[in-house]
Amino acid sequence: MKISDLKLIIGSIFLTILASGCVTISTQPSMRQTYGIYHIVERGQTLYRISKSYNVDINQVMRLNKIIDPTQIDIGQRIFIPGVRLPVPIEPYKSIPREAIKKLVGLKSSSSDWHYITLHHSATHEGNAVTFDRNHRSRRMGGLFYHFVIGNGTLSGDGEIEVGWRWKKQEAVNRPADIQICLVGNFNEEKASRSQHDALIKLVSVLREQYGISMQNIRRHKDIEGKATECPGESFPFNSIIAELKKNR
């Protein structure tokens, strides 16, 4: 038998085996990445917390693992973490205490006169103050519309309160004396997390105490006259929030 014929036979056998699924092909997320580890997702962990704990950009982790929605990861899922040699403990985001929220809000400014609190949802499944600021600038809104953003565990902690630059400058948006609070999520399709709910209760309580805002002036975006919007969504727990605020007075 000629050598060329032998090579042809061997090649045919290899292709047959490959087509039958007997050969395992490496699924390493990136050929360029020289090293990394696989993290096994445990209960209560989010992609944001995992990425932050390993000090790796969440967008890179999503790209390498072909994750489209960072909120959709499962317990037991293997996630490749690039540039890491050893696993690290993943600390869940801890609910912020009321005293810490008081520090975030800061002392009452003598020049500020806030009388309303308007509640929003982002109408997105993910996001944080930085991404919303970028989006609002691209829409010529002058930057982040909201004074406070409460995360859902995607690009910030679940229940994490981010303070917008407008609050730091004590600057109203398009309605004078109106504090804007946004919860990340689309509450026409999903529900706010318990951590978001608790953080909102604490934040609104502190703001009411600080500025003497009445219960009647806490409202949803869609409650404002002339606003044709569903914001903050059908599943937003407005009634339970108001009931809890009244109970905690």
Side-chain angles (χ1 to χ4, degrees):
M1 181 182 293
K2 295 181 180 180
I3 294 177
S4 59
D5 293 336
L6 182 60
K7 288 181 178 179
L8 182 61
I9 292 171
I10 293 172
S12 299
I13 293 171
F14 176 77
L15 289 173
T16 301
I17 294 172
L18 182 62
S20 68
C22 295
V23 174
T24 301
I25 300 174
S26 173
T27 56
Q28 184 75 4
S30 173
M31 295 300 291
R32 295 180 183 178
Q33 187 63 49
T34 56
Y35 66 94
I37 66 168
Y38 279 92
H39 175 84
I40 309 300
V41 179
E42 297 180 4
R43 183 178 298 278
Q45 294 180 356
T46 64
L47 195 63
Y48 168 78
R49 297 304 300 175
I50 292 169
S51 302
K52 189 170 184 178
S53 297
Y54 282 104
N55 196 28
V56 177
D57 179 49
I58 187 173
N59 294 308
Q60 184 184 16
V61 174
M62 289 175 64
R63 185 173 61 255
L64 291 175
N65 291 276
K66 299 180 180 179
I67 296 173
I68 297 174
D69 184 347
T71 66
Q72 300 301 311
I73 60 172
D74 301 315
I75 297 172
Q77 182 174 340
R78 297 170 75 245
I79 295 180
F80 183 73
I81 309 295
V84 174
R85 297 190 185 278
L86 295 172
V88 299
I90 309 297
E91 296 292 336
Y93 179 77
K94 296 179 181 178
S95 175
I96 185 169
R98 183 183 173 89
E99 289 304 312
I101 293 178
K102 284 185 176 181
K103 290 182 179 180
L104 281 179
V105 170
L107 297 175
K108 182 178 180 180
S109 172
S110 58
S111 61
S112 301
D113 192 24
W114 302 103
H115 297 294
Y116 296 90
I117 295 175
T118 300
L119 307 175
H120 305 258
H121 71 160
S122 66
T124 61
H125 295 295
E126 61 183 81
N128 60 14
V130 172
T131 59
F132 297 151
D133 181 72
R134 186 163 54 239
N135 176 267
H136 293 174
R137 289 183 190 280
S138 71
R139 293 161 59 188
R140 299 184 179 180
M141 296 169 63
L144 183 64
F145 181 87
Y146 314 116
H147 294 103
F148 299 94
V149 176
I150 301 179
N152 67 346
T154 53
L155 301 182
S156 61
D158 186 12
E160 181 175 352
I161 299 172
E162 295 182 281
V163 182
W165 63 267
R166 292 186 194 272
W167 181 256
K168 294 174 183 177
K169 290 187 174 183
Q170 291 292 287
E171 179 181 305
V173 192
N174 56 0
R175 291 184 294 275
D178 194 352
I179 300 170
Q180 313 294 326
I181 302 176
C182 176
L183 275 66
V184 180
N186 185 339
F187 303 135
N188 280 323
E189 300 177 1
E190 58 190 325
K191 293 183 179 180
S193 72
R194 185 68 219 182
S195 295
Q196 286 181 300
H197 183 281
D198 292 347
L200 180 60
I201 294 291
K202 292 175 185 176
L203 176 59
V204 171
S205 295
V206 168
L207 290 169
R208 287 191 63 240
E209 180 182 289
Q210 188 90 294
Y211 293 95
I213 299 171
S214 70
M215 291 295 299
Q216 290 73 23
N217 288 350
I218 301 171
R219 57 193 180 178
R220 297 165 293 188
H221 186 192
K222 66 181 180 182
D223 295 330
I224 299 173
E225 188 175 352
K227 291 293 179 183
T229 178
E230 294 182 340
C231 181
E234 291 300 317
S235 297
F236 187 83
F238 183 69
N239 292 333
S240 67
I241 286 168
I242 294 299
E244 198 160 339
L245 285 168
K246 287 180 178 178
K247 184 175 66 176
N248 293 339
R249 280 193 293 188

